[in-house]
Amino acid sequence: MNEKRKSSSKVRVRFAPSPTGFLHIGSARTALFNWLYARKNNGKFIIRIEDTDIARHQEDTISLMLNSLKWLGLNWDEGPDAGGRYSPYRQSARVDIYKEYTKKLIRERKAYHCFCSPEELKDKREKALKDNKFYKYDRKCLNLSAGEIKKNIDLGKKYAVRLLVPDNKTITFADNVYGTITVNSSNIEDFIIIRSNGLPTYNFSVAIDDALMEISNIIRGEDHLSNTPKQILIYNALNFVPPDFTHLPMILGSDGQKLSKRHGSISIESYREEGFLPQAILNYLALLGWAYDEKTTIFSASELVDKFSLDSITKKPAKFDYSKLLWINGHYIRDTEDKKLKEVIKKRVLQNILSKNKLEKIPAGHEIVEGLDEKIIKIVPLVKERIKTLSECDKLIGPFFVKVEYDAEIKNHFKDKKAFAAEVLNKTLDSLANTSKDKSNFNSSTIEHNLRQLSDQLNVSFRKIAEVVRIAMWGATISPPLFETMEIIGKEEAIKRLESYKNILAARL
RNA sequence: GGCGCAUUCGUCUAGUGGUCCAGGACAUAGCCCUCUCAAGGCUAAAACAGGGGUUCAAGUCCCCUAUGCGCUACCA
């Protein structure tokens, strides 16, 4: 057994989730910072699964998390699926290692058997709490003789193993973010390192694995700051050299409370479904607790790698600001090449628009999925700067693919101006009928030209004319640019829609 | 209760003793552009938690208070 971490200067960092659910915002930020540090320093990024709590363990969440990580573009060099020379990368497969070290600690009298039952301990703790007293394990089992221990074990009594924490020693470590942290060991009880089921507790397994896997830098959430002294105690007991520590400020909900489901979506997966781009999420997450300079807010992944530094991480917990994420996502949507956007949008059209509308609702010619690419590539430039998420896009472009629906409000839109609206529709239909049968004549500029003429002719502002046509065309007061939209829909369908709305008006006249 | 950590516009932040009547971004408001909605451009409003020190000089250093958060589990 190698007792000391090799003093190599190689950067090795890890992301160590416990498989209890989706990858959420906070974990993703931790993963990102580890990844950035590894890539920046030509180091290794390692994934380790901390699955020592059988009760909370959910096997299927492992692949869910790994998929989210992949989707974000955070690739790893060693991990449960990738292997590596420090495998296995799952704590459940490393219990023999922990047992080995436990034996050693017991042999050296740095740890001891504890036969106290969880109920007994709980009672003591609650009593202390009730009396407003400081509670610490009373070391009832510390001085059991070898014979007593053997007898208990032979009797089949369950036991846990506790670390013997030295009294009144100063534990100090330098955190890259929070500076020098000092704790007196007397404030730490002899905490359990092995549960009565034989599995290690977090602080024990994490310290051993980080040491054995030669992790050079630990980058994790601030909630672990108070755990660090305990882990240092373990490093010391085992003669391991502690790594470099960096604790990241927490990410909180808008109310300053711990980010949770109450605050809306917290899993990366749900952001993906909502239509956020991975680079937008990465960019936003990087800005939570880190800043490069006084003005830059947009960073590509490679710029982040290039500019990232542990020194510029802030201490203050950050509130998650959904509207800023939205803005960044909108930026990246605008920034994406049309061709690439077309692919993502196409997927969503097939999944969310065409599949959710029954065939009979889709007008003739629109159920055909061929020609979809050509159509979407024309739509992309019309919508890319008006959407902040892809799910907004779904809503905006629906009528390109599916029959328009006019709801009650839209049907009533022209209340006392029905005659005017009807006139606009009639004149527009006329001019469409008069234009050559040649379909190439049905393009945005001639459409616009005709409508502008109509505006002059009726002496009505152009926007009022456009409003009528828009509502007929889109069943909504907002739409992508009208004339380009009509060109994409095609003359035949455009005429149909003008007539449908005309009939609605007629019915109400 | 004990221990630890934090505190600059509503939000994310810049700021490492003078260059800060505190800079940027999101959000908000107004104007411009405009076929709607956006996008874009311009402008506005908006902060050093409070109190004591140290210093010629404090957002920046020290102390106290307040508030918030974390740990205090046979969770991680």
Side-chain angles (χ1 to χ4, degrees), chain A residues 61-89:
Chain A
T61 62
I62 296 177
S63 60
L64 250 40
M65 281 187 176
L66 296 183
N67 280 340
S68 290
L69 248 22
K70 270 182 215 160
W71 178 71
L72 287 171
L74 306 181
N75 54 335
W76 51 95
D77 307 295
E78 297 167 29
D81 57 341
R85 47 181 280 241
Y86 300 85
S87 71
Y89 291 91

Side-chain angles (χ1 to χ4, degrees), chain A residues 158-401:
Chain A
K158 292 252 179 202
Y159 66 90
V161 179
R162 288 180 184 271
L163 187 78
L164 177 59
V165 174
D167 288 319
N168 199 29
K169 277 185 82 176
T170 301
I171 304 163
T172 299
F173 66 97
D175 184 90
N176 280 315
V177 173
Y178 293 95
T180 306
I181 307 289
T182 305
V183 177
N184 188 299
S185 63
S186 296
N187 291 314
I188 301 173
E189 69 168 351
D190 292 348
F191 58 93
I192 288 172
I193 56 175
I194 297 287
R195 290 179 264 234
S196 50
N197 66 5
L199 293 175
T201 55
Y202 165 74
N203 283 305
F204 190 52
S205 53
V206 84
I208 290 182
D209 288 344
D210 286 336
L212 260 29
M213 292 182 178
E214 299 191 54
I215 301 301
S216 60
N217 300 262
I218 291 180
I219 303 170
R220 66 193 0 167
E222 192 260 356
D223 46 341
H224 289 296
L225 196 63
S226 305
N227 283 321
T228 306
K230 295 183 190 169
Q231 292 167 27
I232 287 178
L233 250 15
I234 291 166
Y235 284 103
N236 291 159
L238 259 13
N239 287 325
F240 288 143
V241 178
D244 187 67
F245 292 100
T246 302
H247 287 89
L248 271 20
M250 300 271 88
I251 298 178
L252 309 173
S254 47
D255 54 358
Q257 297 298 113
K258 199 173 154 192
L259 196 60
S260 74
K261 289 189 187 97
R262 287 182 299 113
H263 299 103
S265 310
I266 52 166
S267 75
I268 295 298
E269 184 55 31
S270 59
Y271 282 96
R272 178 186 184 168
E273 278 161 19
E274 272 182 65
F276 284 86
L277 267 24
Q279 59 270 43
I281 295 179
L282 242 38
N283 193 150
Y284 178 66
L285 255 23
L287 259 22
L288 252 26
W290 176 83
Y292 173 65
D293 60 16
E294 56 180 32
K295 44 177 163 242
T296 320
T297 55
I298 297 294
F299 298 90
S300 69
S302 63
E303 281 168 333
L304 284 175
V305 168
D306 187 44
K307 303 195 154 118
F308 184 73
S309 146
L310 294 179
D311 301 335
S312 35
I313 295 170
T314 55
K315 300 179 183 188
K316 199 181 124 188
K319 289 179 188 161
F320 187 80
D321 183 3
Y322 185 76
S323 63
K324 186 147 188 176
L325 208 212
L326 269 183
W327 176 79
I328 290 181
N329 200 54
H331 170 88
Y332 278 100
I333 287 177
R334 273 170 258 138
D335 202 44
T336 305
E337 278 174 46
D338 289 4
K339 263 180 146 177
K340 279 190 195 155
L341 250 193
K342 183 204 78 186
E343 292 305 324
V344 264
I345 290 178
K346 182 181 166 189
K347 246 186 230 165
R348 295 187 71 99
V349 166
L350 290 169
Q351 256 175 34
N352 303 339
I353 300 179
L354 295 179
S355 73
K356 283 183 185 161
N357 286 281
K358 298 213 165 27
L359 264 183
E360 57 266 30
K361 271 191 178 172
I362 302 174
H366 283 259
E367 67 272 49
I368 303 162
V369 176
E370 63 187 58
L372 199 58
D373 285 271
E374 292 82 344
K375 191 168 180 180
I376 296 177
I377 196 74
K378 284 189 221 151
I379 294 173
V380 167
L382 304 189
V383 297
K384 72 190 286 190
E385 63 187 28
R386 345 190 162 242
I387 52 172
K388 290 200 166 67
T389 65
L390 266 17
S391 66
E392 274 179 31
C393 179
D394 298 348
K395 277 182 233 154
L396 225 206
I397 67 177
F400 276 119
F401 302 97

Side-chain angles (χ1 to χ4, degrees), chain A residues 36-56:
Chain A
L36 288 173
Y37 189 71
R39 295 296 169 253
K40 165 99 185 179
N41 295 289
N42 285 316
K44 300 283 186 217
F45 179 48
I46 295 137
I47 308 277
R48 185 177 68 224
I49 305 295
E50 313 227 317
D51 53 349
T52 57
D53 181 357
I54 352 172
R56 294 205 307 156

Side-chain angles (χ1 to χ4, degrees), chain A residues 109 113 115 141-152:
Chain A
R109 311 193 69 81
H113 296 82
F115 295 92
C141 296
L142 174 60
N143 293 313
L144 258 30
S145 69
E148 283 170 306
I149 293 170
K150 188 173 184 305
K151 201 178 107 194
N152 276 336

